Amino acid sequence: MLHDMKHDDIVGDYQEITLNLFGNLTRKILYTQIETPYPDGKLIVSTTDPNGVITHVNQAFIEMSGYTKDELLNTPHSILRHPDMPPAAFKDLWDTIQKGNKWQGFVKNLRKDGGYYWVKATVIPNVRNGKVTGYTSVRRKPSRTKVEECIKLYPTLF
Amino acid sequence: MSNLFTISPDFSPDHISGWYIFNTWLQKQTGEAIHLEMYNDFHSQREAIKSDKVDLIYANPFDAAMLVREKGFLPLVKPLGRADEAIIAVNAENTVEDVAHLLPGIRVAVTDDPDVHLMGMIMLEPGDLDANNVNINVCDTYVLVAKHLLRGDADVGIFLAEAYDNLSNMIKSQLKILVRSQISVIHHSLMIGPKLVEKRDKFQSLLVDMSNDAKGKGVLEGLGIDAWVGIEDEEMEFMIDLMDTLNT
Ligand SMILES: Cc1cc2nc3c(=O)[nH]c(=O)nc-3n(C[C@H](O)[C@H](O)[C@H](O)COP(=O)(O)O)c2cc1C
């Protein structure tokens, strides 16, 4: 389940905004300007069902997002949706993977504590016996140069 | 007709005789005629796989996708607690403390282990480094990778973590680790091909039980493995998908 963010969970000064998400969902977001650096040497991994509902997360995912495993499983992946991410990026993601292709891009993700972290994500369809059973995303540490480019580019895509 | 068994060419030289002894054990236990063929490099091993010569393989994770998806192999077992991890190291005197501070044009020493190479290159990406802007020097062994760093012929070395940890203390004291991967789901796997696939359950249970028996335990020691753990099909599919994302 996707809940509104709670004041008590937030660390530092924050702003408030309501996001419209897929399936007529809305979510109140509280977000700060505090960045958590990507941990060296780790991959952040999650799998979703065909609708983008989380079915698997690894330990690095749990640590970086700040949520517990129980809070993440069976929840739409938009639980990490950051207001600075242009909707066009996710439209491109879904258009690409629904055609059976791989998608790669740089994503700013929202943490439970209102902070954020940048990743380089690769999303692929999981094909089992010829059928798409879900999608897996594997994130790695992005280069700072690429992140700086996205910080300039993304605001122009709204 | 005899079945052909081969192992990933990145095996440690200390375990060559161990693999022959393991093959003898396997033949006795399964009642199958199995011939162990060691290939010197990944290229010649892949040629053998492509021409359908191989029936059993202790495979590098990098080759798992091809084996399962193109050649109909299925997973049997993996070694207990032994994931493949990579290390990026430099000469201890190098002032660089973070991959992000490495510069294009650096000389990178590697071996031809495909999975370690892949993980290592991913760990160089945060420094805006990729195959197009570094000079790759492929060495025969990890000891040679270390020697290149010590001599200053290479700026960065990509190691299998286990091989790095097994370097002598003298060598390690002259090196510095910049990053150690903590991926934990990429591993070598013993896999069975189409010709033997009906015997998969039998092979798998014999292998999983191997460490419960004194003789079997001794054979495993010769491979530097504590026990075999069964691999479910979905676990293998997951690892293949993961390797696929890294390969992009
Ligand atoms: C496997 C997979 C992983 C995803 N990972 C993320 C993620 O880390 N952060 C994110 O904001 N959206 C991620 N998405 C996209 C979300 O499903 C969603 O499209 C996005 O958050 C925007 O929300 P909306 O589609 O409801 O507008 C992922 C989707 C898939 C299929």
Side-chain angles (χ1 to χ4, degrees):
Chain A
M1 268 293 291
L2 202 52
H3 300 287
D4 285 342
M5 291 176 78
K6 296 194 198 75
H7 303 268
D8 287 352
D9 291 333
I10 307 304
V11 179
D13 294 339
Y14 62 86
Q15 287 166 275
E16 209 173 301
I17 193 173
T18 297
L19 290 179
N20 294 313
L21 300 169
F22 183 77
N24 291 322
L25 290 174
T26 58
R27 186 183 192 214
K28 190 166 81 182
I29 298 291
L30 311 177
Y31 65 107
T32 71
Q33 299 301 328
I34 301 170
E35 177 165 11
T36 301
Y38 192 106
D40 271 324
K42 293 197 185 181
L43 297 175
I44 300 176
V45 184
S46 63
T47 299
T48 69
D49 69 10
N51 300 314
V53 175
I54 299 172
T55 54
H56 163 86
V57 289
N58 73 351
Q59 188 56 33
F61 191 111
I62 295 170
E63 284 162 16
M64 281 303 276
S65 70
Y67 290 99
T68 64
K69 193 171 185 172
D70 282 346
E71 288 170 318
L72 292 165
L73 295 182
N74 301 313
T75 302
H77 217 309
S78 49
I79 188 169
L80 300 189
R81 169 86 159 83
H82 196 283
D84 292 349
M85 279 302 291
F90 297 115
K91 181 173 184 319
D92 183 48
L93 182 161
W94 279 102
D95 287 349
T96 307
I97 61 176
Q98 282 176 339
K99 280 187 203 130
N101 297 324
K102 278 185 214 177
W103 182 86
Q104 198 161 58
F106 295 87
V107 180
K108 183 176 185 175
N109 275 328
L110 180 64
R111 289 165 52 93
K112 184 180 180 178
D113 67 7
Y116 68 90
Y117 57 103
W118 280 97
V119 302
K120 177 177 175 183
T122 309
V123 187
I124 59 160
N126 305 126
V127 182
R128 306 285 184 266
N129 301 314
K131 271 205 194 132
V132 174
T133 57
Y135 301 102
T136 293
S137 176
V138 177
R139 296 91 176 169
R140 48 181 110 157
K141 184 170 178 166
S143 92
R144 207 59 223 172
T145 333
K146 292 278 162 39
V147 170
E148 298 301 336
E149 283 171 26
C150 293
I151 292 173
K152 287 204 192 91
L153 174 70
Y154 286 174
T156 69
L157 299 181
F158 279 85
Chain B
M1 216 184 84
S2 174
N3 298 287
L4 194 143
F5 173 34
T6 180
I7 62 173
S8 179
D10 58 8
F11 64 85
S12 152
D14 304 345
H15 298 141
I16 297 184
S17 61
W19 283 106
Y20 281 100
I21 295 166
F22 173 72
N23 188 47
T24 307
W25 179 92
L26 200 59
Q27 294 192 77
K28 221 180 247 161
Q29 298 293 317
T30 61
E32 298 289 332
I34 305 169
H35 165 72
L36 175 59
E37 179 85 38
M38 301 279 206
Y39 293 98
N40 284 330
D41 54 67
F42 283 92
H43 178 74
S44 46
Q45 187 177 70
R46 283 189 198 123
E47 288 302 308
I49 297 166
K50 290 208 168 107
S51 50
D52 297 325
K53 285 192 190 138
V54 175
D55 304 302
L56 266 181
I57 182 168
Y58 184 60
N60 188 283
F62 194 89
D63 291 328
M66 185 253 292
L67 287 161
V68 171
R69 300 206 172 148
E70 291 166 36
K71 290 294 171 186
F73 276 72
L74 290 174
L76 292 170
V77 289
K78 64 179 177 182
L80 174 69
R82 281 259 305 272
D84 290 9
E85 302 287 358
I87 280 178
I88 303 283
V90 295
N91 191 302
E93 276 160 19
N94 196 324
T95 53
V96 167
E97 298 288 344
D98 188 323
V99 165
H101 302 141
L102 294 169
L103 296 173
I106 53 164
R107 297 157 303 167
V108 180
V110 298
T111 68
D112 71 351
D113 288 13
D115 67 328
V116 175
H117 191 157
L118 184 63
M119 292 189 271
M121 291 308 288
I122 280 176
M123 295 198 290
L124 291 179
E125 268 186 31
D128 285 309
L129 301 170
D130 60 41
N132 298 319
N133 65 8
V134 300
N135 295 302
I136 304 267
N137 176 0
V138 182
C139 307
D140 282 338
T141 66
Y142 288 111
V143 172
L144 289 176
V145 172
K147 285 194 174 149
H148 279 295
L149 292 178
L150 297 189
R151 285 201 301 256
D153 307 337
D155 305 299
V156 166
I158 296 177
F159 294 86
L160 172 69
E162 194 185 324
Y164 184 94
D165 294 336
N166 288 334
L167 293 171
S168 75
N169 288 332
M170 223 264 285
I171 293 183
K172 274 187 285 190
S173 68
Q174 298 172 69
L175 297 174
K176 176 165 73 177
I177 297 179
L178 294 185
V179 203
R180 178 190 285 264
S181 75
Q182 298 172 65
I183 298 173
S184 69
V185 288
I186 295 177
H187 51 77
H188 279 59
S189 332
L190 193 55
M191 302 171 91
I192 194 161
K195 202 168 103 200
L196 284 171
V197 80
E198 288 130 64
K199 298 177 177 131
R200 182 191 186 192
D201 290 349
K202 178 179 170 185
F203 271 74
Q204 196 173 41
S205 55
L206 282 168
L207 290 161
V208 169
D209 282 342
M210 193 171 173
S211 52
N212 298 327
D213 153 276
K215 188 108 186 267
K217 187 106 194 139
V219 175
L220 281 171
E221 268 166 31
L223 303 175
I225 291 173
D226 292 332
W228 292 116
V229 183
I231 308 177
E232 302 285 329
D233 288 350
E234 180 50 33
E235 182 188 349
M236 178 55 67
E237 292 289 341
F238 179 78
M239 187 182 86
I240 291 172
D241 281 346
L242 192 116
M243 292 299 289
D244 195 6
T245 67
L246 298 185
N247 228 332
T248 311

